[in-house]
Amino acid sequence: MRKTALLIPALVVIVVIAFSSIFIVDEREKALVLQFGQIVSVKEEPGLGFKIPLIQEVVKYDDRILSRDLEPIEVTPADDRRLVVDAFARFRIADVEQFRRAVGAGGLPAASQRLDSILRAGTREVLGSVSSNDILSTDRAALMLRIRNGAITEARSLGLQVLDVRLKRTDLPEANLNATYERMKAEREREAADEIARGREAAQRIQAQADRTVIELVSEAERESQIIQGEADALRNEIFATAFGEDPEFFEFYRSMTAYQRALQGGNTMMVMSPESEFFNYLRSAEGASSLRAAAGGDTGTGTVAPTLPQPEDEAALR
């Protein structure tokens, strides 16, 4: 009985010591075995590990990719236009031994604070070297890459691997929003006024060119019409001259008959002129009087009559 009473506590102690000397490393973790605060071994592969009970201890660290959101920081770009930047980073613990030496027992919270300082300093340095337009444009991808590359070197001393840095939001400080909006509005209004002025100038230039083209076309058309009219008049005169040369007496008779027909349009036609006028040459002959009556369509009064003045076309026929 005495041996049994002693054996059971001994077995219990042995079991407790055995269990306390075994630890399990998950596939999402890395483990350090410490002895009096010094690193004895590193367990990076998942599975069972062993340590000396009571003397050694196991510290586990997350091996997954972690995220860190930075507090919004205010930066001043090269054009002195202040911006509030909200960023985040993705990182992982790459070297657990270096990580332990760098942060000690503070662990991940202490490392995160130091990483925040690195990222804030890198963000201010990179964004302070460019203009605000570059930060707000598509070039921000290159800026984020520069911030990440700068943080990689400094984070390596902490045993961390920075995988990515992103700018989530870039805003103006609240105090500057209204002034900035008014300035943007004024700039857009100025650009609109410039565009309107350039449009009006172009419209006036086009209108002037169109008016000039119209004048040139009309002038050319009038010149050509006058040339054609002159050529037609010359051809008509040539035809009349040729006809007159063929039979001058008949041509003179024809013109006189045409003049009588136009001047004496029947009714109560009256003319006042000298009886000796050449206009009456054919009226004083029997053949001419008969022709006149036939052309006028009736008898004409004899003696002194009061005629109507010949029309312009009659004057042309009488010449």
Side-chain angles (χ1 to χ4, degrees), residues 179-236:
T180 302
Y181 290 153
E182 291 298 327
R183 183 175 63 184
M184 293 172 63
K185 180 180 177 181
E187 290 177 356
R188 297 302 177 268
E189 289 177 349
R190 179 182 57 79
E191 292 177 1
D194 292 342
E195 290 294 333
I196 292 173
R198 284 194 290 268
R200 289 176 178 173
E201 179 183 357
Q204 292 176 357
R205 185 169 58 251
I206 294 172
Q207 183 66 38
Q209 183 64 31
D211 293 341
R212 177 180 177 181
T213 303
V214 169
I215 293 174
E216 291 177 351
L217 292 176
V218 172
S219 300
E220 183 66 19
E222 289 179 351
R223 185 182 68 83
E224 293 180 359
S225 67
Q226 290 176 1
I227 292 174
I228 294 173
Q229 182 68 34
E231 292 176 351
D233 291 342
L235 181 59
R236 183 192 64 181

Tab-separated table of all heavy atoms in Angstrom, residues 179-236:
chain	number	residue	atom	x	y	z
A	179	ALA	N	-11.946	76.537	-49.282
A	179	ALA	CA	-11.055	77.396	-50.063
A	179	ALA	C	-10.585	76.689	-51.324
A	179	ALA	O	-10.498	77.293	-52.402
A	179	ALA	CB	-9.851	77.816	-49.214
A	180	THR	N	-10.307	75.400	-51.205
A	180	THR	CA	-9.856	74.644	-52.378
A	180	THR	C	-10.965	74.511	-53.409
A	180	THR	O	-10.734	74.663	-54.611
A	180	THR	CB	-9.378	73.258	-51.948
A	180	THR	OG1	-8.324	73.404	-50.991
A	180	THR	CG2	-8.871	72.471	-53.140
A	181	TYR	N	-12.184	74.237	-52.946
A	181	TYR	CA	-13.303	74.128	-53.874
A	181	TYR	C	-13.546	75.443	-54.601
A	181	TYR	O	-13.808	75.466	-55.821
A	181	TYR	CB	-14.570	73.708	-53.122
A	181	TYR	CG	-14.541	72.291	-52.628
A	181	TYR	CD1	-15.285	71.897	-51.513
A	181	TYR	CD2	-13.755	71.325	-53.258
A	181	TYR	CE1	-15.252	70.595	-51.050
A	181	TYR	CE2	-13.720	70.024	-52.796
A	181	TYR	CZ	-14.472	69.664	-51.691
A	181	TYR	OH	-14.441	68.368	-51.231
A	182	GLU	N	-13.451	76.564	-53.885
A	182	GLU	CA	-13.650	77.864	-54.522
A	182	GLU	C	-12.547	78.142	-55.542
A	182	GLU	O	-12.806	78.679	-56.623
A	182	GLU	CB	-13.660	78.969	-53.455
A	182	GLU	CG	-14.880	78.946	-52.551
A	182	GLU	CD	-16.161	79.169	-53.330
A	182	GLU	OE1	-16.145	79.910	-54.326
A	182	GLU	OE2	-17.196	78.578	-52.944
A	183	ARG	N	-11.329	77.758	-55.210
A	183	ARG	CA	-10.236	77.968	-56.157
A	183	ARG	C	-10.408	77.094	-57.396
A	183	ARG	O	-10.190	77.553	-58.531
A	183	ARG	CB	-8.901	77.652	-55.476
A	183	ARG	CG	-7.687	77.917	-56.371
A	183	ARG	CD	-6.406	77.704	-55.612
A	183	ARG	NE	-6.269	76.329	-55.169
A	183	ARG	CZ	-5.266	75.882	-54.421
A	183	ARG	NH1	-4.329	76.714	-54.021
A	183	ARG	NH2	-5.210	74.613	-54.067
A	184	MET	N	-10.815	75.848	-57.175
A	184	MET	CA	-11.068	74.969	-58.320
A	184	MET	C	-12.198	75.521	-59.185
A	184	MET	O	-12.133	75.483	-60.421
A	184	MET	CB	-11.396	73.564	-57.824
A	184	MET	CG	-10.242	72.852	-57.151
A	184	MET	SD	-10.722	71.295	-56.386
A	184	MET	CE	-11.263	70.369	-57.819
A	185	LYS	N	-13.237	76.031	-58.535
A	185	LYS	CA	-14.361	76.607	-59.281
A	185	LYS	C	-13.900	77.811	-60.100
A	185	LYS	O	-14.275	77.961	-61.277
A	185	LYS	CB	-15.461	77.011	-58.302
A	185	LYS	CG	-16.679	77.614	-58.966
A	185	LYS	CD	-17.735	77.981	-57.921
A	185	LYS	CE	-18.940	78.648	-58.582
A	185	LYS	NZ	-19.956	79.024	-57.571
A	186	ALA	N	-13.096	78.685	-59.490
A	186	ALA	CA	-12.588	79.851	-60.212
A	186	ALA	C	-11.714	79.439	-61.390
A	186	ALA	O	-11.787	80.032	-62.473
A	186	ALA	CB	-11.803	80.755	-59.258
A	187	GLU	N	-10.881	78.411	-61.190
A	187	GLU	CA	-10.028	77.947	-62.285
A	187	GLU	C	-10.862	77.391	-63.439
A	187	GLU	O	-10.587	77.652	-64.612
A	187	GLU	CB	-9.060	76.886	-61.769
A	187	GLU	CG	-7.992	77.434	-60.835
A	187	GLU	CD	-7.090	76.340	-60.285
A	187	GLU	OE1	-7.380	75.143	-60.588
A	187	GLU	OE2	-6.123	76.658	-59.577
A	188	ARG	N	-11.897	76.614	-63.098
A	188	ARG	CA	-12.752	76.055	-64.147
A	188	ARG	C	-13.523	77.149	-64.872
A	188	ARG	O	-13.705	77.085	-66.094
A	188	ARG	CB	-13.717	75.033	-63.547
A	188	ARG	CG	-13.040	73.823	-62.921
A	188	ARG	CD	-12.171	73.091	-63.936
A	188	ARG	NE	-11.466	71.972	-63.323
A	188	ARG	CZ	-10.259	72.052	-62.816
A	188	ARG	NH1	-9.617	73.213	-62.836
A	188	ARG	NH2	-9.670	70.988	-62.295
A	189	GLU	N	-13.979	78.164	-64.131
A	189	GLU	CA	-14.680	79.267	-64.782
A	189	GLU	C	-13.741	80.040	-65.704
A	189	GLU	O	-14.148	80.464	-66.793
A	189	GLU	CB	-15.276	80.197	-63.722
A	189	GLU	CG	-16.452	79.588	-62.967
A	189	GLU	CD	-16.973	80.511	-61.876
A	189	GLU	OE1	-16.282	81.526	-61.583
A	189	GLU	OE2	-18.061	80.225	-61.321
A	190	ARG	N	-12.507	80.219	-65.272
A	190	ARG	CA	-11.532	80.901	-66.129
A	190	ARG	C	-11.261	80.083	-67.395
A	190	ARG	O	-11.205	80.632	-68.503
A	190	ARG	CB	-10.232	81.132	-65.364
A	190	ARG	CG	-9.152	81.811	-66.193
A	190	ARG	CD	-7.877	81.956	-65.380
A	190	ARG	NE	-7.397	80.678	-64.900
A	190	ARG	CZ	-6.724	79.820	-65.647
A	190	ARG	NH1	-6.467	80.098	-66.928
A	190	ARG	NH2	-6.303	78.680	-65.143
A	191	GLU	N	-11.099	78.775	-67.224
A	191	GLU	CA	-10.885	77.926	-68.396
A	191	GLU	C	-12.092	77.964	-69.333
A	191	GLU	O	-11.940	77.996	-70.561
A	191	GLU	CB	-10.607	76.489	-67.943
A	191	GLU	CG	-9.284	76.328	-67.216
A	191	GLU	CD	-9.084	74.911	-66.712
A	191	GLU	OE1	-9.989	74.068	-66.953
A	191	GLU	OE2	-8.038	74.637	-66.095
A	192	ALA	N	-13.306	77.971	-68.734
A	192	ALA	CA	-14.507	78.043	-69.570
A	192	ALA	C	-14.565	79.365	-70.327
A	192	ALA	O	-14.916	79.398	-71.520
A	192	ALA	CB	-15.754	77.873	-68.708
A	193	ALA	N	-14.219	80.478	-69.641
A	193	ALA	CA	-14.213	81.777	-70.318
A	193	ALA	C	-13.185	81.801	-71.444
A	193	ALA	O	-13.447	82.357	-72.527
A	193	ALA	CB	-13.931	82.880	-69.306
A	194	ASP	N	-12.021	81.198	-71.212
A	194	ASP	CA	-11.003	81.136	-72.270
A	194	ASP	C	-11.504	80.327	-73.460
A	194	ASP	O	-11.302	80.708	-74.623
A	194	ASP	CB	-9.712	80.525	-71.724
A	194	ASP	CG	-9.025	81.429	-70.720
A	194	ASP	OD1	-9.351	82.634	-70.698
A	194	ASP	OD2	-8.182	80.941	-69.942
A	195	GLU	N	-12.160	79.207	-73.168
A	195	GLU	CA	-12.689	78.385	-74.258
A	195	GLU	C	-13.766	79.137	-75.046
A	195	GLU	O	-13.818	79.077	-76.268
A	195	GLU	CB	-13.265	77.080	-73.697
A	195	GLU	CG	-12.226	76.107	-73.166
A	195	GLU	CD	-11.333	75.563	-74.261
A	195	GLU	OE1	-11.796	75.502	-75.420
A	195	GLU	OE2	-10.182	75.217	-73.963
A	196	ILE	N	-14.638	79.850	-74.319
A	196	ILE	CA	-15.683	80.620	-75.003
A	196	ILE	C	-15.059	81.712	-75.867
A	196	ILE	O	-15.487	81.936	-77.013
A	196	ILE	CB	-16.649	81.218	-73.954
A	196	ILE	CG1	-17.456	80.107	-73.279
A	196	ILE	CG2	-17.596	82.227	-74.608
A	196	ILE	CD1	-18.307	80.592	-72.132
A	197	ALA	N	-14.055	82.401	-75.324
A	197	ALA	CA	-13.399	83.458	-76.105
A	197	ALA	C	-12.726	82.888	-77.346
A	197	ALA	O	-12.828	83.458	-78.444
A	197	ALA	CB	-12.374	84.177	-75.226
A	198	ARG	N	-12.048	81.753	-77.184
A	198	ARG	CA	-11.406	81.130	-78.347
A	198	ARG	C	-12.457	80.662	-79.361
A	198	ARG	O	-12.253	80.766	-80.570
A	198	ARG	CB	-10.538	79.955	-77.904
A	198	ARG	CG	-9.227	80.382	-77.278
A	198	ARG	CD	-8.266	79.205	-77.164
A	198	ARG	NE	-8.717	78.264	-76.166
A	198	ARG	CZ	-8.354	78.297	-74.895
A	198	ARG	NH1	-7.541	79.235	-74.467
A	198	ARG	NH2	-8.794	77.403	-74.033
A	199	GLY	N	-13.592	80.175	-78.854
A	199	GLY	CA	-14.653	79.762	-79.767
A	199	GLY	C	-15.229	80.931	-80.536
A	199	GLY	O	-15.475	80.841	-81.753
A	200	ARG	N	-15.440	82.043	-79.838
A	200	ARG	CA	-15.959	83.222	-80.527
A	200	ARG	C	-14.958	83.748	-81.549
A	200	ARG	O	-15.342	84.168	-82.651
A	200	ARG	CB	-16.292	84.306	-79.508
A	200	ARG	CG	-17.525	83.987	-78.650
A	200	ARG	CD	-17.747	85.038	-77.593
A	200	ARG	NE	-18.964	84.755	-76.814
A	200	ARG	CZ	-19.323	85.444	-75.735
A	200	ARG	NH1	-18.566	86.452	-75.306
A	200	ARG	NH2	-20.439	85.110	-75.104
A	201	GLU	N	-13.690	83.739	-81.173
A	201	GLU	CA	-12.670	84.191	-82.119
A	201	GLU	C	-12.651	83.308	-83.361
A	201	GLU	O	-12.583	83.798	-84.492
A	201	GLU	CB	-11.303	84.169	-81.432
A	201	GLU	CG	-10.157	84.610	-82.333
A	201	GLU	CD	-8.819	84.507	-81.642
A	201	GLU	OE1	-8.792	84.139	-80.448
A	201	GLU	OE2	-7.793	84.789	-82.299
A	202	ALA	N	-12.734	81.990	-83.145
A	202	ALA	CA	-12.757	81.071	-84.288
A	202	ALA	C	-14.010	81.286	-85.128
A	202	ALA	O	-13.963	81.248	-86.370
A	202	ALA	CB	-12.691	79.629	-83.792
A	203	ALA	N	-15.168	81.547	-84.455
A	203	ALA	CA	-16.412	81.775	-85.202
A	203	ALA	C	-16.310	83.040	-86.050
A	203	ALA	O	-16.737	83.061	-87.215
A	203	ALA	CB	-17.583	81.882	-84.223
A	204	GLN	N	-15.742	84.107	-85.466
A	204	GLN	CA	-15.579	85.340	-86.233
A	204	GLN	C	-14.627	85.139	-87.407
A	204	GLN	O	-14.855	85.657	-88.506
A	204	GLN	CB	-15.068	86.449	-85.311
A	204	GLN	CG	-16.089	86.899	-84.266
A	204	GLN	CD	-15.520	87.925	-83.319
A	204	GLN	OE1	-14.331	88.267	-83.392
A	204	GLN	NE2	-16.360	88.422	-82.412
A	205	ARG	N	-13.571	84.383	-87.174
A	205	ARG	CA	-12.625	84.128	-88.257
A	205	ARG	C	-13.280	83.330	-89.382
A	205	ARG	O	-13.109	83.634	-90.567
A	205	ARG	CB	-11.413	83.385	-87.699
A	205	ARG	CG	-10.311	83.166	-88.720
A	205	ARG	CD	-9.027	82.673	-88.065
A	205	ARG	NE	-9.223	81.442	-87.322
A	205	ARG	CZ	-9.205	81.358	-86.008
A	205	ARG	NH1	-9.019	82.424	-85.264
A	205	ARG	NH2	-9.386	80.191	-85.396
A	206	ILE	N	-14.057	82.327	-89.000
A	206	ILE	CA	-14.751	81.524	-90.015
A	206	ILE	C	-15.795	82.357	-90.746
A	206	ILE	O	-15.947	82.266	-91.974
A	206	ILE	CB	-15.400	80.302	-89.341
A	206	ILE	CG1	-14.311	79.367	-88.783
A	206	ILE	CG2	-16.287	79.546	-90.313
A	206	ILE	CD1	-14.857	78.240	-87.937
A	207	GLN	N	-16.528	83.226	-89.974
A	207	GLN	CA	-17.541	84.077	-90.601
A	207	GLN	C	-16.893	85.052	-91.580
A	207	GLN	O	-17.411	85.279	-92.687
A	207	GLN	CB	-18.306	84.840	-89.507
A	207	GLN	CG	-19.433	85.717	-90.030
A	207	GLN	CD	-20.561	84.911	-90.642
A	207	GLN	OE1	-20.892	83.848	-90.124
A	207	GLN	NE2	-21.117	85.393	-91.740
A	208	ALA	N	-15.775	85.644	-91.175
A	208	ALA	CA	-15.080	86.574	-92.075
A	208	ALA	C	-14.597	85.864	-93.332
A	208	ALA	O	-14.700	86.395	-94.451
A	208	ALA	CB	-13.907	87.222	-91.339
A	209	GLN	N	-14.075	84.654	-93.150
A	209	GLN	CA	-13.617	83.901	-94.316
A	209	GLN	C	-14.783	83.553	-95.229
A	209	GLN	O	-14.678	83.629	-96.462
A	209	GLN	CB	-12.915	82.620	-93.839
A	209	GLN	CG	-12.330	81.771	-94.954
A	209	GLN	CD	-11.222	82.476	-95.698
A	209	GLN	OE1	-10.508	83.292	-95.111
A	209	GLN	NE2	-11.078	82.190	-96.980
A	210	ALA	N	-15.929	83.186	-94.611
A	210	ALA	CA	-17.115	82.876	-95.428
A	210	ALA	C	-17.609	84.109	-96.172
A	210	ALA	O	-17.966	84.033	-97.358
A	210	ALA	CB	-18.210	82.306	-94.535
A	211	ASP	N	-17.645	85.273	-95.480
A	211	ASP	CA	-18.078	86.507	-96.148
A	211	ASP	C	-17.140	86.854	-97.301
A	211	ASP	O	-17.597	87.272	-98.384
A	211	ASP	CB	-18.114	87.655	-95.145
A	211	ASP	CG	-19.198	87.461	-94.082
A	211	ASP	OD1	-20.114	86.654	-94.329
A	211	ASP	OD2	-19.114	88.111	-93.025
A	212	ARG	N	-15.854	86.693	-97.073
A	212	ARG	CA	-14.896	86.976	-98.147
A	212	ARG	C	-15.103	86.039	-99.324
A	212	ARG	O	-15.068	86.472	-100.494
A	212	ARG	CB	-13.475	86.828	-97.596
A	212	ARG	CG	-12.396	87.033	-98.637
A	212	ARG	CD	-11.023	86.874	-98.033
A	212	ARG	NE	-9.987	86.995	-99.046
A	212	ARG	CZ	-8.695	86.875	-98.814
A	212	ARG	NH1	-8.270	86.642	-97.563
A	212	ARG	NH2	-7.810	86.992	-99.790
A	213	THR	N	-15.356	84.764	-99.003
A	213	THR	CA	-15.592	83.803	-100.084
A	213	THR	C	-16.851	84.154	-100.871
A	213	THR	O	-16.877	84.063	-102.104
A	213	THR	CB	-15.718	82.389	-99.495
A	213	THR	OG1	-14.526	82.076	-98.760
A	213	THR	CG2	-15.905	81.349	-100.602
A	214	VAL	N	-17.915	84.577	-100.134
A	214	VAL	CA	-19.157	84.968	-100.815
A	214	VAL	C	-18.908	86.149	-101.740
A	214	VAL	O	-19.359	86.169	-102.902
A	214	VAL	CB	-20.238	85.291	-99.767
A	214	VAL	CG1	-21.441	85.966	-100.439
A	214	VAL	CG2	-20.680	84.037	-99.057
A	215	ILE	N	-18.189	87.142	-101.218
A	215	ILE	CA	-17.912	88.334	-102.051
A	215	ILE	C	-17.101	87.949	-103.278
A	215	ILE	O	-17.368	88.417	-104.406
A	215	ILE	CB	-17.172	89.391	-101.200
A	215	ILE	CG1	-18.108	89.920	-100.105
A	215	ILE	CG2	-16.691	90.539	-102.075
A	215	ILE	CD1	-17.433	90.846	-99.122
A	216	GLU	N	-16.098	87.109	-103.087
A	216	GLU	CA	-15.275	86.693	-104.227
A	216	GLU	C	-16.107	85.928	-105.250
A	216	GLU	O	-15.983	86.155	-106.466
A	216	GLU	CB	-14.117	85.830	-103.730
A	216	GLU	CG	-13.078	86.610	-102.925
A	216	GLU	CD	-11.988	85.714	-102.392
A	216	GLU	OE1	-12.145	84.472	-102.511
A	216	GLU	OE2	-10.990	86.234	-101.855
A	217	LEU	N	-16.980	85.019	-104.754
A	217	LEU	CA	-17.803	84.239	-105.685
A	217	LEU	C	-18.788	85.127	-106.431
A	217	LEU	O	-18.970	84.987	-107.663
A	217	LEU	CB	-18.550	83.146	-104.913
A	217	LEU	CG	-17.694	82.014	-104.331
A	217	LEU	CD1	-18.558	81.072	-103.512
A	217	LEU	CD2	-16.980	81.251	-105.442
A	218	VAL	N	-19.430	86.070	-105.685
A	218	VAL	CA	-20.392	86.971	-106.340
A	218	VAL	C	-19.673	87.870	-107.340
A	218	VAL	O	-20.169	88.095	-108.463
A	218	VAL	CB	-21.137	87.794	-105.273
A	218	VAL	CG1	-21.986	88.879	-105.929
A	218	VAL	CG2	-22.027	86.897	-104.424
A	219	SER	N	-18.524	88.405	-106.956
A	219	SER	CA	-17.769	89.270	-107.877
A	219	SER	C	-17.357	88.504	-109.125
A	219	SER	O	-17.464	89.022	-110.258
A	219	SER	CB	-16.539	89.832	-107.167
A	219	SER	OG	-16.912	90.595	-106.042
A	220	GLU	N	-16.890	87.289	-108.928
A	220	GLU	CA	-16.490	86.491	-110.088
A	220	GLU	C	-17.684	86.176	-110.977
A	220	GLU	O	-17.580	86.228	-112.218
A	220	GLU	CB	-15.840	85.195	-109.581
A	220	GLU	CG	-15.312	84.286	-110.682
A	220	GLU	CD	-14.153	84.878	-111.444
A	220	GLU	OE1	-13.509	85.822	-110.917
A	220	GLU	OE2	-13.898	84.434	-112.582
A	221	ALA	N	-18.835	85.861	-110.319
A	221	ALA	CA	-20.032	85.576	-111.118
A	221	ALA	C	-20.490	86.811	-111.889
A	221	ALA	O	-20.873	86.731	-113.065
A	221	ALA	CB	-21.147	85.072	-110.205
A	222	GLU	N	-20.465	87.986	-111.210
A	222	GLU	CA	-20.859	89.222	-111.913
A	222	GLU	C	-19.893	89.544	-113.053
A	222	GLU	O	-20.307	89.985	-114.119
A	222	GLU	CB	-20.902	90.368	-110.905
A	222	GLU	CG	-22.059	90.275	-109.914
A	222	GLU	CD	-22.059	91.416	-108.915
A	222	GLU	OE1	-21.064	92.172	-108.904
A	222	GLU	OE2	-23.041	91.538	-108.167
A	223	ARG	N	-18.605	89.333	-112.820
A	223	ARG	CA	-17.638	89.596	-113.891
A	223	ARG	C	-17.902	88.691	-115.095
A	223	ARG	O	-17.923	89.150	-116.247
A	223	ARG	CB	-16.218	89.374	-113.360
A	223	ARG	CG	-15.117	89.738	-114.349
A	223	ARG	CD	-13.759	89.436	-113.759
A	223	ARG	NE	-13.549	88.014	-113.601
A	223	ARG	CZ	-13.125	87.206	-114.590
A	223	ARG	NH1	-12.866	87.708	-115.800
A	223	ARG	NH2	-12.965	85.930	-114.377
A	224	GLU	N	-18.132	87.394	-114.787
A	224	GLU	CA	-18.407	86.476	-115.890
A	224	GLU	C	-19.721	86.817	-116.597
A	224	GLU	O	-19.810	86.725	-117.826
A	224	GLU	CB	-18.459	85.042	-115.353
A	224	GLU	CG	-17.113	84.530	-114.851
A	224	GLU	CD	-17.201	83.115	-114.330
A	224	GLU	OE1	-18.319	82.562	-114.346
A	224	GLU	OE2	-16.159	82.562	-113.920
A	225	SER	N	-20.739	87.238	-115.779
A	225	SER	CA	-22.014	87.598	-116.416
A	225	SER	C	-21.870	88.827	-117.295
A	225	SER	O	-22.461	88.905	-118.378
A	225	SER	CB	-23.082	87.825	-115.347
A	225	SER	OG	-22.784	88.981	-114.577
A	226	GLN	N	-21.070	89.798	-116.837
A	226	GLN	CA	-20.847	90.994	-117.654
A	226	GLN	C	-20.077	90.653	-118.927
A	226	GLN	O	-20.349	91.203	-119.998
A	226	GLN	CB	-20.106	92.043	-116.834
A	226	GLN	CG	-20.958	92.661	-115.717
A	226	GLN	CD	-20.175	93.621	-114.869
A	226	GLN	OE1	-18.983	93.851	-115.124
A	226	GLN	NE2	-20.835	94.192	-113.861
A	227	ILE	N	-19.119	89.741	-118.794
A	227	ILE	CA	-18.383	89.323	-119.996
A	227	ILE	C	-19.327	88.640	-120.982
A	227	ILE	O	-19.321	88.932	-122.196
A	227	ILE	CB	-17.225	88.388	-119.602
A	227	ILE	CG1	-16.158	89.160	-118.813
A	227	ILE	CG2	-16.604	87.738	-120.837
A	227	ILE	CD1	-15.063	88.286	-118.259
A	228	ILE	N	-20.169	87.764	-120.441
A	228	ILE	CA	-21.125	87.064	-121.321
A	228	ILE	C	-22.121	88.046	-121.928
A	228	ILE	O	-22.450	87.973	-123.122
A	228	ILE	CB	-21.864	85.972	-120.519
A	228	ILE	CG1	-20.868	84.882	-120.093
A	228	ILE	CG2	-22.984	85.357	-121.338
A	228	ILE	CD1	-21.447	83.858	-119.154
A	229	GLN	N	-22.592	89.022	-121.083
A	229	GLN	CA	-23.525	90.028	-121.596
A	229	GLN	C	-22.868	90.865	-122.686
A	229	GLN	O	-23.483	91.176	-123.722
A	229	GLN	CB	-23.989	90.924	-120.438
A	229	GLN	CG	-25.009	91.989	-120.838
A	229	GLN	CD	-26.332	91.386	-121.238
A	229	GLN	OE1	-26.721	90.366	-120.671
A	229	GLN	NE2	-27.008	91.982	-122.198
A	230	GLY	N	-21.601	91.242	-122.437
A	230	GLY	CA	-20.891	92.022	-123.461
A	230	GLY	C	-20.692	91.234	-124.737
A	230	GLY	O	-20.857	91.773	-125.851
A	231	GLU	N	-20.334	89.969	-124.604
A	231	GLU	CA	-20.168	89.147	-125.801
A	231	GLU	C	-21.503	88.984	-126.541
A	231	GLU	O	-21.546	89.021	-127.782
A	231	GLU	CB	-19.616	87.779	-125.399
A	231	GLU	CG	-18.183	87.834	-124.873
A	231	GLU	CD	-17.705	86.476	-124.389
A	231	GLU	OE1	-18.555	85.557	-124.319
A	231	GLU	OE2	-16.493	86.330	-124.090
A	232	ALA	N	-22.600	88.848	-125.754
A	232	ALA	CA	-23.917	88.727	-126.393
A	232	ALA	C	-24.306	90.017	-127.108
A	232	ALA	O	-24.844	89.989	-128.239
A	232	ALA	CB	-24.963	88.368	-125.342
A	233	ASP	N	-24.047	91.168	-126.444
A	233	ASP	CA	-24.348	92.452	-127.097
A	233	ASP	C	-23.525	92.629	-128.365
A	233	ASP	O	-24.035	93.114	-129.396
A	233	ASP	CB	-24.070	93.594	-126.120
A	233	ASP	CG	-25.068	93.618	-124.963
A	233	ASP	OD1	-26.133	93.000	-125.111
A	233	ASP	OD2	-24.763	94.242	-123.922
A	234	ALA	N	-22.257	92.240	-128.275
A	234	ALA	CA	-21.414	92.366	-129.466
A	234	ALA	C	-21.929	91.468	-130.591
A	234	ALA	O	-21.971	91.877	-131.775
A	234	ALA	CB	-19.967	92.006	-129.117
A	235	LEU	N	-22.348	90.238	-130.237
A	235	LEU	CA	-22.884	89.341	-131.255
A	235	LEU	C	-24.190	89.881	-131.844
A	235	LEU	O	-24.419	89.818	-133.060
A	235	LEU	CB	-23.099	87.958	-130.642
A	235	LEU	CG	-23.639	86.881	-131.580
A	235	LEU	CD1	-22.692	86.665	-132.764
A	235	LEU	CD2	-23.857	85.582	-130.812
A	236	ARG	N	-25.046	90.459	-130.960
A	236	ARG	CA	-26.304	91.027	-131.453
A	236	ARG	C	-26.036	92.189	-132.404
A	236	ARG	O	-26.637	92.298	-133.481
A	236	ARG	CB	-27.148	91.503	-130.265
A	236	ARG	CG	-28.511	92.059	-130.656
A	236	ARG	CD	-29.160	92.775	-129.494
A	236	ARG	NE	-28.347	93.956	-129.129
A	236	ARG	CZ	-28.653	94.779	-128.128
A	236	ARG	NH1	-29.729	94.544	-127.383
A	236	ARG	NH2	-27.872	95.809	-127.858
